[in-house]
Amino acid sequence: MHSLPLFHRIAGTRVVVVGDGDMAVAKRRLIRRAGGAVCSEAEAHHARLAFVALEDTGAAEAAALRLKRRGLLVNVADRPELCDFTTPSILDRNPVLVAVSTGGASAGLAKHIRLRLEAILPQSLGRLAAALHETRAALRARFPGGDERRRALDTALAQGGTLDPFDPASGERVTDWLSGAAVDDTAQTVEFTLTSDDPEDLTLRQARALGMADRVLHDPGVAEAILIRARADAVRQLLSAQPEPQTGLTVVLRRADHTAASSAVPTSAK
């Protein structure tokens, strides 16, 4: 990744904006939307973040250097090479935020990706997120184990599930779902043979399984671009001859050029 994606909480804190013009106005508006307070460079000692929105290249570089020397993280409009952080194109379904970034390569591209997402992500996402937040204590009481809790949510939030995020009525069903939810603790192993190192060649079923897997067992040489499609906290191990089924979903990834030498792995639920 070209950057580490983070969401920075600035409510109640000061953020420096250097500049006037349309770019500076847009930065001030963004800061206020996130609950921050706009301040000038003279108040930089109170701030941790700064935006520089100056048309003059030399003036922008000088302002960025001054602010960085004072320990601030700096964004310089239209100058990604000078930026400590960049601002993405933001889709707001409060409290759900979707940020699209191209690392400064093309703000226009990021905007149009966001506009496509705007058309398919319902306004009700915020209501669903708020309902899940409000029932966190009840969810933990109903499913004390972290893995158990995650599997219950995975089932409910999956396409066609009780809490499908694309269903506008999902937010109204959280309490009823929680009172009757059950977890499938059946161990399941699914195996895929990969014919390409390109993640774009994954089928929808393969991509969905990786996103829900508890464990990913793989042949040596399976591309990192494929492996990172799995959940960040999924256990990742090189493939043994006969993996032992465990609770939850295990995804086995074989390379086509290794398949002939590999032992068969059962694909049915255990």
Side-chain angles (χ1 to χ4, degrees), residues 51-96:
F51 291 89
V52 175
L54 296 170
E55 294 286 354
D56 183 86
T57 299
E61 290 179 354
L65 183 58
R66 290 194 304 271
L67 291 162
K68 290 183 180 188
R69 284 175 174 169
R70 300 184 74 167
L72 279 70
L73 296 176
V74 180
N75 172 278
V76 183
D78 293 333
R79 297 292 301 275
E81 72 279 5
L82 297 178
C83 292
D84 296 313
F85 67 96
T86 57
T87 51
S89 187
I90 300 168
L91 186 156
D92 188 352
R93 298 287 188 271
N94 189 40
V96 177

mmCIF file of all heavy atoms in Angstrom, residues 51-96:
data_model
loop_
_atom_site.group_PDB
_atom_site.id
_atom_site.type_symbol
_atom_site.label_atom_id
_atom_site.label_comp_id
_atom_site.label_asym_id
_atom_site.label_seq_id
_atom_site.Cartn_x
_atom_site.Cartn_y
_atom_site.Cartn_z
ATOM 1 N N PHE A 51 -3.129 22.093 6.973
ATOM 2 C CA PHE A 51 -3.383 22.094 5.536
ATOM 3 C C PHE A 51 -2.771 23.355 4.944
ATOM 4 O O PHE A 51 -2.989 24.464 5.473
ATOM 5 C CB PHE A 51 -4.882 22.077 5.244
ATOM 6 C CG PHE A 51 -5.563 20.789 5.601
ATOM 7 C CD1 PHE A 51 -6.087 20.585 6.859
ATOM 8 C CD2 PHE A 51 -5.679 19.775 4.655
ATOM 9 C CE1 PHE A 51 -6.726 19.401 7.194
ATOM 10 C CE2 PHE A 51 -6.314 18.577 4.972
ATOM 11 C CZ PHE A 51 -6.835 18.386 6.247
ATOM 12 N N VAL A 52 -2.038 23.193 3.858
ATOM 13 C CA VAL A 52 -1.475 24.329 3.145
ATOM 14 C C VAL A 52 -2.167 24.395 1.790
ATOM 15 O O VAL A 52 -2.106 23.435 1.007
ATOM 16 C CB VAL A 52 0.051 24.194 2.966
ATOM 17 C CG1 VAL A 52 0.587 25.338 2.115
ATOM 18 C CG2 VAL A 52 0.741 24.153 4.326
ATOM 19 N N ALA A 53 -2.843 25.514 1.530
ATOM 20 C CA ALA A 53 -3.584 25.671 0.277
ATOM 21 C C ALA A 53 -3.177 26.990 -0.360
ATOM 22 O O ALA A 53 -3.901 27.987 -0.316
ATOM 23 C CB ALA A 53 -5.087 25.625 0.542
ATOM 24 N N LEU A 54 -1.991 26.990 -0.940
ATOM 25 C CA LEU A 54 -1.434 28.186 -1.566
ATOM 26 C C LEU A 54 -1.128 27.892 -3.030
ATOM 27 O O LEU A 54 -0.576 26.826 -3.353
ATOM 28 C CB LEU A 54 -0.149 28.624 -0.850
ATOM 29 C CG LEU A 54 -0.300 29.063 0.616
ATOM 30 C CD1 LEU A 54 1.075 29.236 1.259
ATOM 31 C CD2 LEU A 54 -1.102 30.354 0.707
ATOM 32 N N GLU A 55 -1.465 28.824 -3.903
ATOM 33 C CA GLU A 55 -1.222 28.630 -5.329
ATOM 34 C C GLU A 55 0.268 28.731 -5.657
ATOM 35 O O GLU A 55 0.777 28.003 -6.509
ATOM 36 C CB GLU A 55 -1.987 29.685 -6.137
ATOM 37 C CG GLU A 55 -3.505 29.564 -6.047
ATOM 38 C CD GLU A 55 -4.050 28.386 -6.844
ATOM 39 O OE1 GLU A 55 -3.253 27.741 -7.564
ATOM 40 O OE2 GLU A 55 -5.258 28.114 -6.735
ATOM 41 N N ASP A 56 0.967 29.620 -4.988
ATOM 42 C CA ASP A 56 2.388 29.822 -5.260
ATOM 43 C C ASP A 56 3.200 28.638 -4.737
ATOM 44 O O ASP A 56 3.183 28.320 -3.543
ATOM 45 C CB ASP A 56 2.867 31.111 -4.594
ATOM 46 C CG ASP A 56 4.320 31.404 -4.908
ATOM 47 O OD1 ASP A 56 4.581 32.026 -5.947
ATOM 48 O OD2 ASP A 56 5.184 30.992 -4.104
ATOM 49 N N THR A 57 3.932 27.977 -5.636
ATOM 50 C CA THR A 57 4.668 26.762 -5.278
ATOM 51 C C THR A 57 5.708 27.021 -4.196
ATOM 52 O O THR A 57 5.804 26.272 -3.216
ATOM 53 C CB THR A 57 5.349 26.169 -6.521
ATOM 54 O OG1 THR A 57 4.346 25.821 -7.478
ATOM 55 C CG2 THR A 57 6.138 24.924 -6.158
ATOM 56 N N GLY A 58 6.468 28.058 -4.353
ATOM 57 C CA GLY A 58 7.505 28.353 -3.375
ATOM 58 C C GLY A 58 6.932 28.663 -2.010
ATOM 59 O O GLY A 58 7.447 28.205 -0.978
ATOM 60 N N ALA A 59 5.857 29.443 -1.976
ATOM 61 C CA ALA A 59 5.229 29.779 -0.704
ATOM 62 C C ALA A 59 4.645 28.533 -0.036
ATOM 63 O O ALA A 59 4.725 28.377 1.187
ATOM 64 C CB ALA A 59 4.135 30.827 -0.922
ATOM 65 N N ALA A 60 4.062 27.638 -0.848
ATOM 66 C CA ALA A 60 3.493 26.401 -0.293
ATOM 67 C C ALA A 60 4.588 25.528 0.318
ATOM 68 O O ALA A 60 4.428 24.972 1.412
ATOM 69 C CB ALA A 60 2.740 25.641 -1.382
ATOM 70 N N GLU A 61 5.705 25.382 -0.386
ATOM 71 C CA GLU A 61 6.813 24.574 0.129
ATOM 72 C C GLU A 61 7.373 25.171 1.419
ATOM 73 O O GLU A 61 7.658 24.442 2.376
ATOM 74 C CB GLU A 61 7.905 24.467 -0.929
ATOM 75 C CG GLU A 61 7.521 23.619 -2.128
ATOM 76 C CD GLU A 61 8.635 23.558 -3.166
ATOM 77 O OE1 GLU A 61 9.655 24.271 -2.987
ATOM 78 O OE2 GLU A 61 8.493 22.799 -4.135
ATOM 79 N N ALA A 62 7.513 26.494 1.455
ATOM 80 C CA ALA A 62 8.055 27.146 2.644
ATOM 81 C C ALA A 62 7.129 26.967 3.833
ATOM 82 O O ALA A 62 7.576 26.677 4.961
ATOM 83 C CB ALA A 62 8.280 28.630 2.368
ATOM 84 N N ALA A 63 5.811 27.121 3.618
ATOM 85 C CA ALA A 63 4.851 26.952 4.709
ATOM 86 C C ALA A 63 4.858 25.512 5.222
ATOM 87 O O ALA A 63 4.824 25.265 6.433
ATOM 88 C CB ALA A 63 3.452 27.341 4.235
ATOM 89 N N ALA A 64 4.922 24.559 4.293
ATOM 90 C CA ALA A 64 4.950 23.156 4.703
ATOM 91 C C ALA A 64 6.188 22.859 5.538
ATOM 92 O O ALA A 64 6.112 22.166 6.567
ATOM 93 C CB ALA A 64 4.912 22.252 3.466
ATOM 94 N N LEU A 65 7.336 23.380 5.135
ATOM 95 C CA LEU A 65 8.578 23.147 5.877
ATOM 96 C C LEU A 65 8.495 23.750 7.275
ATOM 97 O O LEU A 65 8.897 23.114 8.259
ATOM 98 C CB LEU A 65 9.756 23.741 5.107
ATOM 99 C CG LEU A 65 11.149 23.517 5.715
ATOM 100 C CD1 LEU A 65 11.436 22.035 5.872
ATOM 101 C CD2 LEU A 65 12.215 24.186 4.840
ATOM 102 N N ARG A 66 7.974 24.947 7.391
ATOM 103 C CA ARG A 66 7.845 25.580 8.704
ATOM 104 C C ARG A 66 6.965 24.749 9.634
ATOM 105 O O ARG A 66 7.303 24.532 10.802
ATOM 106 C CB ARG A 66 7.242 26.987 8.563
ATOM 107 C CG ARG A 66 8.136 28.014 7.912
ATOM 108 C CD ARG A 66 7.588 29.418 8.138
ATOM 109 N NE ARG A 66 6.208 29.593 7.674
ATOM 110 C CZ ARG A 66 5.877 29.975 6.444
ATOM 111 N NH1 ARG A 66 6.823 30.207 5.534
ATOM 112 N NH2 ARG A 66 4.595 30.145 6.122
ATOM 113 N N LEU A 67 5.854 24.279 9.109
ATOM 114 C CA LEU A 67 4.909 23.525 9.936
ATOM 115 C C LEU A 67 5.465 22.157 10.315
ATOM 116 O O LEU A 67 5.282 21.688 11.439
ATOM 117 C CB LEU A 67 3.586 23.387 9.191
ATOM 118 C CG LEU A 67 2.803 24.701 9.041
ATOM 119 C CD1 LEU A 67 1.760 24.574 7.948
ATOM 120 C CD2 LEU A 67 2.155 25.094 10.368
ATOM 121 N N LYS A 68 6.159 21.519 9.387
ATOM 122 C CA LYS A 68 6.752 20.214 9.692
ATOM 123 C C LYS A 68 7.831 20.360 10.760
ATOM 124 O O LYS A 68 7.982 19.484 11.636
ATOM 125 C CB LYS A 68 7.329 19.581 8.429
ATOM 126 C CG LYS A 68 6.259 19.128 7.447
ATOM 127 C CD LYS A 68 6.859 18.447 6.230
ATOM 128 C CE LYS A 68 5.784 18.006 5.248
ATOM 129 N NZ LYS A 68 6.311 17.185 4.157
ATOM 130 N N ARG A 69 8.588 21.437 10.714
ATOM 131 C CA ARG A 69 9.620 21.670 11.729
ATOM 132 C C ARG A 69 9.011 21.850 13.117
ATOM 133 O O ARG A 69 9.684 21.620 14.127
ATOM 134 C CB ARG A 69 10.451 22.889 11.353
ATOM 135 C CG ARG A 69 11.459 22.630 10.240
ATOM 136 C CD ARG A 69 12.166 23.909 9.827
ATOM 137 N NE ARG A 69 13.236 23.633 8.862
ATOM 138 C CZ ARG A 69 13.873 24.579 8.175
ATOM 139 N NH1 ARG A 69 13.538 25.870 8.350
ATOM 140 N NH2 ARG A 69 14.833 24.260 7.334
ATOM 141 N N ARG A 70 7.761 22.250 13.162
ATOM 142 C CA ARG A 70 7.088 22.421 14.444
ATOM 143 C C ARG A 70 6.379 21.144 14.879
ATOM 144 O O ARG A 70 5.665 21.127 15.870
ATOM 145 C CB ARG A 70 6.100 23.578 14.357
ATOM 146 C CG ARG A 70 6.763 24.903 14.005
ATOM 147 C CD ARG A 70 5.822 26.072 14.013
ATOM 148 N NE ARG A 70 5.479 26.464 15.376
ATOM 149 C CZ ARG A 70 4.862 27.606 15.683
ATOM 150 N NH1 ARG A 70 4.554 28.466 14.725
ATOM 151 N NH2 ARG A 70 4.570 27.895 16.923
ATOM 152 N N GLY A 71 6.579 20.057 14.114
ATOM 153 C CA GLY A 71 6.064 18.754 14.500
ATOM 154 C C GLY A 71 4.675 18.419 14.004
ATOM 155 O O GLY A 71 4.096 17.409 14.422
ATOM 156 N N LEU A 72 4.116 19.228 13.098
ATOM 157 C CA LEU A 72 2.780 18.955 12.586
ATOM 158 C C LEU A 72 2.838 18.028 11.379
ATOM 159 O O LEU A 72 3.823 18.026 10.623
ATOM 160 C CB LEU A 72 2.072 20.260 12.171
ATOM 161 C CG LEU A 72 1.423 21.075 13.291
ATOM 162 C CD1 LEU A 72 2.459 21.711 14.195
ATOM 163 C CD2 LEU A 72 0.485 22.133 12.691
ATOM 164 N N LEU A 73 1.785 17.259 11.202
ATOM 165 C CA LEU A 73 1.597 16.506 9.969
ATOM 166 C C LEU A 73 0.911 17.440 8.975
ATOM 167 O O LEU A 73 -0.083 18.105 9.311
ATOM 168 C CB LEU A 73 0.735 15.271 10.206
ATOM 169 C CG LEU A 73 1.328 14.214 11.147
ATOM 170 C CD1 LEU A 73 0.328 13.082 11.373
ATOM 171 C CD2 LEU A 73 2.624 13.656 10.577
ATOM 172 N N VAL A 74 1.433 17.475 7.743
ATOM 173 C CA VAL A 74 1.023 18.517 6.811
ATOM 174 C C VAL A 74 0.473 17.917 5.520
ATOM 175 O O VAL A 74 1.023 16.957 4.971
ATOM 176 C CB VAL A 74 2.210 19.445 6.483
ATOM 177 C CG1 VAL A 74 1.783 20.537 5.497
ATOM 178 C CG2 VAL A 74 2.765 20.074 7.758
ATOM 179 N N ASN A 75 -0.623 18.527 5.039
ATOM 180 C CA ASN A 75 -1.165 18.246 3.715
ATOM 181 C C ASN A 75 -1.011 19.500 2.870
ATOM 182 O O ASN A 75 -1.400 20.588 3.297
ATOM 183 C CB ASN A 75 -2.642 17.856 3.815
ATOM 184 C CG ASN A 75 -3.309 17.743 2.455
ATOM 185 O OD1 ASN A 75 -3.724 18.740 1.866
ATOM 186 N ND2 ASN A 75 -3.433 16.527 1.955
ATOM 187 N N VAL A 76 -0.424 19.339 1.687
ATOM 188 C CA VAL A 76 -0.250 20.470 0.779
ATOM 189 C C VAL A 76 -1.112 20.222 -0.455
ATOM 190 O O VAL A 76 -0.914 19.229 -1.167
ATOM 191 C CB VAL A 76 1.226 20.652 0.372
ATOM 192 C CG1 VAL A 76 1.389 21.881 -0.515
ATOM 193 C CG2 VAL A 76 2.113 20.764 1.608
ATOM 194 N N ALA A 77 -2.074 21.093 -0.675
ATOM 195 C CA ALA A 77 -3.023 20.898 -1.772
ATOM 196 C C ALA A 77 -2.299 20.770 -3.111
ATOM 197 O O ALA A 77 -1.423 21.579 -3.446
ATOM 198 C CB ALA A 77 -4.001 22.076 -1.815
ATOM 199 N N ASP A 78 -2.662 19.733 -3.858
ATOM 200 C CA ASP A 78 -2.136 19.484 -5.205
ATOM 201 C C ASP A 78 -0.641 19.211 -5.242
ATOM 202 O O ASP A 78 -0.027 19.272 -6.305
ATOM 203 C CB ASP A 78 -2.456 20.660 -6.144
ATOM 204 C CG ASP A 78 -3.943 20.798 -6.410
ATOM 205 O OD1 ASP A 78 -4.644 19.774 -6.326
ATOM 206 O OD2 ASP A 78 -4.391 21.923 -6.680
ATOM 207 N N ARG A 79 -0.043 18.898 -4.088
ATOM 208 C CA ARG A 79 1.384 18.573 -4.044
ATOM 209 C C ARG A 79 1.586 17.310 -3.216
ATOM 210 O O ARG A 79 2.080 17.357 -2.091
ATOM 211 C CB ARG A 79 2.185 19.738 -3.454
ATOM 212 C CG ARG A 79 2.146 21.031 -4.241
ATOM 213 C CD ARG A 79 2.863 20.901 -5.581
ATOM 214 N NE ARG A 79 4.254 20.522 -5.403
ATOM 215 C CZ ARG A 79 5.242 21.397 -5.162
ATOM 216 N NH1 ARG A 79 4.974 22.697 -5.067
ATOM 217 N NH2 ARG A 79 6.486 20.983 -5.040
ATOM 218 N N PRO A 80 1.177 16.143 -3.734
ATOM 219 C CA PRO A 80 1.251 14.913 -2.934
ATOM 220 C C PRO A 80 2.659 14.580 -2.466
ATOM 221 O O PRO A 80 2.831 13.954 -1.417
ATOM 222 C CB PRO A 80 0.702 13.831 -3.882
ATOM 223 C CG PRO A 80 0.789 14.426 -5.246
ATOM 224 C CD PRO A 80 0.614 15.900 -5.073
ATOM 225 N N GLU A 81 3.681 15.005 -3.211
ATOM 226 C CA GLU A 81 5.053 14.695 -2.797
ATOM 227 C C GLU A 81 5.452 15.451 -1.531
ATOM 228 O O GLU A 81 6.422 15.075 -0.856
ATOM 229 C CB GLU A 81 6.026 15.017 -3.938
ATOM 230 C CG GLU A 81 6.268 16.495 -4.207
ATOM 231 C CD GLU A 81 5.186 17.159 -5.047
ATOM 232 O OE1 GLU A 81 4.173 16.491 -5.356
ATOM 233 O OE2 GLU A 81 5.368 18.341 -5.398
ATOM 234 N N LEU A 82 4.722 16.496 -1.177
ATOM 235 C CA LEU A 82 5.007 17.260 0.039
ATOM 236 C C LEU A 82 4.112 16.855 1.210
ATOM 237 O O LEU A 82 4.271 17.370 2.314
ATOM 238 C CB LEU A 82 4.827 18.763 -0.214
ATOM 239 C CG LEU A 82 5.765 19.405 -1.238
ATOM 240 C CD1 LEU A 82 5.415 20.889 -1.405
ATOM 241 C CD2 LEU A 82 7.223 19.246 -0.819
ATOM 242 N N CYS A 83 3.190 15.951 0.963
ATOM 243 C CA CYS A 83 2.174 15.618 1.969
ATOM 244 C C CYS A 83 2.634 14.524 2.925
ATOM 245 O O CYS A 83 3.184 13.497 2.506
ATOM 246 C CB CYS A 83 0.887 15.161 1.291
ATOM 247 S SG CYS A 83 0.022 16.459 0.380
ATOM 248 N N ASP A 84 2.368 14.725 4.218
ATOM 249 C CA ASP A 84 2.482 13.648 5.202
ATOM 250 C C ASP A 84 1.223 12.788 5.181
ATOM 251 O O ASP A 84 1.252 11.626 5.570
ATOM 252 C CB ASP A 84 2.671 14.224 6.604
ATOM 253 C CG ASP A 84 3.967 15.000 6.752
ATOM 254 O OD1 ASP A 84 5.015 14.478 6.329
ATOM 255 O OD2 ASP A 84 3.931 16.127 7.281
ATOM 256 N N PHE A 85 0.119 13.370 4.774
ATOM 257 C CA PHE A 85 -1.140 12.635 4.642
ATOM 258 C C PHE A 85 -1.921 13.262 3.491
ATOM 259 O O PHE A 85 -1.698 14.415 3.119
ATOM 260 C CB PHE A 85 -1.952 12.683 5.946
ATOM 261 C CG PHE A 85 -2.464 14.054 6.304
ATOM 262 C CD1 PHE A 85 -3.754 14.449 5.956
ATOM 263 C CD2 PHE A 85 -1.667 14.948 7.002
ATOM 264 C CE1 PHE A 85 -4.229 15.708 6.276
ATOM 265 C CE2 PHE A 85 -2.135 16.210 7.344
ATOM 266 C CZ PHE A 85 -3.416 16.602 6.979
ATOM 267 N N THR A 86 -2.807 12.498 2.912
ATOM 268 C CA THR A 86 -3.678 13.001 1.854
ATOM 269 C C THR A 86 -5.127 12.878 2.307
ATOM 270 O O THR A 86 -5.444 12.079 3.196
ATOM 271 C CB THR A 86 -3.478 12.229 0.537
ATOM 272 O OG1 THR A 86 -3.699 10.835 0.766
ATOM 273 C CG2 THR A 86 -2.070 12.430 -0.001
ATOM 274 N N THR A 87 -6.003 13.654 1.722
ATOM 275 C CA THR A 87 -7.421 13.582 2.062
ATOM 276 C C THR A 87 -8.148 12.826 0.961
ATOM 277 O O THR A 87 -8.027 13.162 -0.216
ATOM 278 C CB THR A 87 -8.024 14.988 2.222
ATOM 279 O OG1 THR A 87 -7.699 15.774 1.085
ATOM 280 C CG2 THR A 87 -7.477 15.654 3.464
ATOM 281 N N PRO A 88 -8.911 11.805 1.329
ATOM 282 C CA PRO A 88 -9.599 10.997 0.331
ATOM 283 C C PRO A 88 -10.900 11.657 -0.117
ATOM 284 O O PRO A 88 -11.336 12.674 0.425
ATOM 285 C CB PRO A 88 -9.885 9.703 1.097
ATOM 286 C CG PRO A 88 -10.092 10.174 2.509
ATOM 287 C CD PRO A 88 -9.132 11.320 2.700
ATOM 288 N N SER A 89 -11.525 11.046 -1.098
ATOM 289 C CA SER A 89 -12.896 11.383 -1.445
ATOM 290 C C SER A 89 -13.792 10.621 -0.480
ATOM 291 O O SER A 89 -13.629 9.407 -0.302
ATOM 292 C CB SER A 89 -13.193 10.982 -2.887
ATOM 293 O OG SER A 89 -14.464 11.451 -3.294
ATOM 294 N N ILE A 90 -14.716 11.307 0.162
ATOM 295 C CA ILE A 90 -15.427 10.741 1.309
ATOM 296 C C ILE A 90 -16.895 10.491 0.984
ATOM 297 O O ILE A 90 -17.600 11.384 0.500
ATOM 298 C CB ILE A 90 -15.332 11.686 2.524
ATOM 299 C CG1 ILE A 90 -13.869 11.893 2.909
ATOM 300 C CG2 ILE A 90 -16.121 11.134 3.701
ATOM 301 C CD1 ILE A 90 -13.664 13.024 3.888
ATOM 302 N N LEU A 91 -17.339 9.282 1.278
ATOM 303 C CA LEU A 91 -18.752 8.935 1.219
ATOM 304 C C LEU A 91 -19.241 8.865 2.664
ATOM 305 O O LEU A 91 -18.732 8.085 3.467
ATOM 306 C CB LEU A 91 -18.947 7.601 0.508
ATOM 307 C CG LEU A 91 -20.378 7.144 0.225
ATOM 308 C CD1 LEU A 91 -20.391 6.164 -0.948
ATOM 309 C CD2 LEU A 91 -21.024 6.482 1.436
ATOM 310 N N ASP A 92 -20.231 9.671 2.995
ATOM 311 C CA ASP A 92 -20.677 9.829 4.377
ATOM 312 C C ASP A 92 -22.049 9.202 4.578
ATOM 313 O O ASP A 92 -23.048 9.653 4.009
ATOM 314 C CB ASP A 92 -20.726 11.326 4.724
ATOM 315 C CG ASP A 92 -20.992 11.579 6.201
ATOM 316 O OD1 ASP A 92 -21.283 10.627 6.930
ATOM 317 O OD2 ASP A 92 -20.914 12.751 6.610
ATOM 318 N N ARG A 93 -22.076 8.128 5.374
ATOM 319 C CA ARG A 93 -23.315 7.534 5.845
ATOM 320 C C ARG A 93 -23.221 7.470 7.370
ATOM 321 O O ARG A 93 -23.281 6.406 7.977
ATOM 322 C CB ARG A 93 -23.527 6.123 5.265
ATOM 323 C CG ARG A 93 -23.657 6.052 3.756
ATOM 324 C CD ARG A 93 -24.997 6.594 3.291
ATOM 325 N NE ARG A 93 -25.187 6.357 1.865
ATOM 326 C CZ ARG A 93 -24.811 7.183 0.907
ATOM 327 N NH1 ARG A 93 -24.212 8.333 1.225
ATOM 328 N NH2 ARG A 93 -25.034 6.917 -0.360
ATOM 329 N N ASN A 94 -23.042 8.599 7.969
ATOM 330 C CA ASN A 94 -22.736 8.723 9.389
ATOM 331 C C ASN A 94 -23.503 7.701 10.251
ATOM 332 O O ASN A 94 -24.727 7.605 10.143
ATOM 333 C CB ASN A 94 -23.086 10.150 9.845
ATOM 334 C CG ASN A 94 -22.611 10.433 11.246
ATOM 335 O OD1 ASN A 94 -21.532 10.035 11.632
ATOM 336 N ND2 ASN A 94 -23.448 11.117 12.012
ATOM 337 N N PRO A 95 -22.773 6.892 11.052
ATOM 338 C CA PRO A 95 -21.343 6.947 11.357
ATOM 339 C C PRO A 95 -20.448 6.136 10.407
ATOM 340 O O PRO A 95 -19.269 5.969 10.674
ATOM 341 C CB PRO A 95 -21.280 6.342 12.756
ATOM 342 C CG PRO A 95 -22.366 5.326 12.757
ATOM 343 C CD PRO A 95 -23.485 5.933 11.937
ATOM 344 N N VAL A 96 -21.008 5.621 9.326
ATOM 345 C CA VAL A 96 -20.200 4.889 8.349
ATOM 346 C C VAL A 96 -19.530 5.895 7.415
ATOM 347 O O VAL A 96 -20.195 6.752 6.830
ATOM 348 C CB VAL A 96 -21.065 3.911 7.529
ATOM 349 C CG1 VAL A 96 -20.213 3.212 6.470
ATOM 350 C CG2 VAL A 96 -21.730 2.885 8.440
#
